[in-house]
Amino acid sequence: MNLFEYQGKKLYKQYDIPTPTSIFIRSQSELANQESLLFPVVVKAQVQVGGRGKAGGIKLVSSHDELKTAVNEILGMDIKGHRVESLLIEEASTIIKEYYISFTLDRSVKKYLMLLSAKGGMDIEEVAEKNPEDLIKIYISPSEGLTEETIINAIKDANLDPEFTNEIKNIILKLYNLFVAGDCDLVEVNPLAITNNGVLALDSKITLDMNAEYRHEEFNEFEADIPIPDSEAFAKSKGLNFIKLDGSVGIIGNGAGLVMSTLDVVSEHGGKAANFLDIGGGAKAETVTAALEVLESDSNVKSVLINIFGGITRCDLVAEGIVEATKGKFLKWPIIVRLDGTNSKEGLKILSQFKNEKIIISESMDEAAKLAVKESQ
Ligand code: GDP
Ligand code: MN
């Protein structure tokens, strides 16, 4: 589960990681009884998407009047399809340097991975691509942990300001503690800044490992504060395993593994998936109907790719579902269908007899993905 910045910063405070003094608000009226913050302050849109600054979602203000205006402007704003429902208002600092630090899990080597860079404040993927030598990678064995010596060497290798080595080392130890004891899949601070008020974690991107929910009461509280998209709520009510993504190719498949590889093939062909949707094994006609209804509720969808490999799932029932869901209806987008496995012949026959020109049958997963991507552009 991905946390909002304000939630991540609650965890920072719990783990004694220095971060600016702040208040969290959901409406302009909550500002009235608030006089404790020292100006200037930074108003920050709480949305789970990067590059808020560039999008106008972060503003530095130096008076109460300016603050009111900024709150008015940013609340309700749309940032890359995310509506701003709440704000974090933080005491501003003068930034001298911006660094990057993160902890993640690298499953392929069964170790934690710490990334450290003097090039903070910007897109770290860009640093990794253009200046990979500026990104220091430290693999940590979970059983051995992270030593002070390793951290000090990493700080040196990353060319961080030596004057702050000790302070940064202590923060890194605390972040590592949050990552491990807090059961996180990701802790990313970008920027970790040297400021006139010392070294501060100015941003927070945290993903919690929900398998550890049973030992963290706070996970439930965080979860309750994260709104789920309407389409996800609708899918849940229909018993479908659905996750909304940002692309335009709607995906329906059976089995999590097949759906994941379908997402990969779509991206290999230069497309972006609009969602993850697994109709599961043994899916019946009404499941397919519900799945198509879920995709209809997402206006980003421009084409739909149905990728079925029938085992327990019978392709003829899936085909019936497609017919049922689309009969006599105006289809907003083309549906590219690939049916293989149990009763695929019968399924394909049902679809070809149905004769709907918006439904395109494809022989292979690769060809189907290519077509769906083309149709989505
Ligand atoms: P992101 O763009 O969504 O990653 O949001 P960040 O929280 O990382 O903020 C983006 C940028 O805003 C930072 O890199 C800083 O340059 C600036 N910023 C954030 N907090 C402060 C602050 O307290 N003071 C100043 N002067 N700038 C800040
Ligand atoms: Mn950031």
Side-chain angles (χ1 to χ4, degrees), residues 22 62 77 116-117 123 148 159 164 169 173 180 277 282 291 317:
S22 66
S62 42
M77 185 185 264
L116 186 65
S117 176
D123 190 2
E148 298 207 3
N159 287 318
F164 294 91
K169 179 204 72 191
L173 280 171
V180 177
L277 203 171
L317 292 185

Side-chain angles (χ1 to χ4, degrees), residues 42 44 50-53 58 91-93 95 98 121 190-191 202-203:
V42 183
K44 304 178 85 177
R52 293 169 300 170
I58 298 181
E91 287 185 359
S93 329
I95 297 176
E98 295 186 298
N190 187 20
L202 285 190
D203 196 4

Side-chain angles (χ1 to χ4, degrees), residues 60-243:
L60 184 72
V61 298
S62 42
S63 70
H64 216 278
D65 281 346
E66 277 179 36
L67 173 60
K68 269 202 217 153
T69 312
V71 167
N72 236 339
E73 270 173 26
I74 303 177
L75 266 183
M77 185 185 264
D78 181 279
I79 299 181
K80 299 179 186 167
H82 298 248
R83 206 183 121 84
V84 182
E85 307 276 4
S86 60
L87 302 172
L88 188 67
I89 303 174
E90 287 186 336
E91 287 185 359
S93 329
T94 306
I95 297 176
I96 300 159
K97 279 181 183 130
E98 295 186 298
Y99 298 147
Y100 173 95
I101 169 129
S102 69
F103 288 98
T104 48
L105 179 64
D106 186 334
R107 289 172 207 275
S108 62
V109 291
K110 299 179 182 167
K111 284 185 172 158
Y112 299 137
L113 172 62
M114 174 175 110
L115 294 177
L116 186 65
S117 176
K119 296 225 159 105
M122 54 173 105
D123 190 2
I124 201 65
E125 280 81 10
E126 205 179 307
V127 177
E129 200 171 296
K130 292 189 182 147
N131 309 84
E133 69 284 359
D134 288 332
L135 195 59
I136 302 302
K137 292 183 178 180
I138 306 288
Y139 288 94
I140 307 155
S141 151
S143 55
E144 286 161 22
L146 181 60
T147 66
E148 298 207 3
E149 198 191 343
T150 306
I151 301 175
I152 290 170
N153 287 331
I155 291 175
K156 230 181 262 164
D157 292 344
N159 287 318
L160 308 192
D161 189 338
E163 197 186 319
F164 294 91
T165 299
N166 201 45
E167 203 172 330
I168 292 172
K169 179 204 72 191
N170 289 332
I171 294 175
I172 291 179
L173 280 171
K174 288 171 184 172
L175 285 168
Y176 180 68
N177 185 33
L178 160 62
F179 177 70
V180 177
D183 282 307
C184 304
D185 279 337
L186 167 74
V187 172
E188 181 185 76
V189 189
N190 187 20
L192 176 72
I194 297 183
T195 75
N196 59 324
N197 298 315
V199 182
L200 293 174
L202 285 190
D203 196 4
S204 160
K205 201 168 158 192
I206 290 180
T207 306
L208 300 176
D209 175 1
M210 295 311 275
N211 293 311
E213 196 172 9
Y214 69 94
R215 56 183 175 208
H216 293 278
E217 258 174 39
E218 73 274 17
F219 280 22
N220 292 321
E221 286 161 37
F222 288 143
E223 200 171 17
D225 276 347
I226 298 175
I228 58 170
D230 291 348
S231 51
E232 276 182 28
F234 178 66
K236 209 171 177 183
S237 76
K238 295 278 181 187
L240 294 168
N241 193 356
F242 172 89
I243 295 164

Side-chain angles (χ1 to χ4, degrees), residues 335-372:
I335 303 177
I336 293 88
V337 188
R338 177 252 183 172
L339 293 179
D340 204 348
T342 310
N343 290 2
S344 61
K345 253 195 206 153
E346 291 81 349
L348 292 170
K349 198 170 157 200
I350 292 169
L351 287 182
S352 59
Q353 282 171 351
F354 181 46
K355 287 198 175 63
N356 183 330
E357 58 182 24
K358 284 269 181 77
I359 296 173
I360 305 160
I361 294 164
S362 189
E363 296 283 314
S364 72
M365 173 156 155
D366 197 57
E367 189 197 283
K370 203 192 258 178
L371 244 167

Side-chain angles (χ1 to χ4, degrees), residues 288-309:
V288 182
T289 311
L292 283 168
E293 265 176 60
V294 172
L295 295 191
E296 267 168 12
S297 72
D298 181 354
S299 60
N300 289 338
V301 173
K302 297 284 179 291
S303 70
V304 170
L305 169 54
I306 300 184
N307 188 14
I308 303 293
F309 190 87

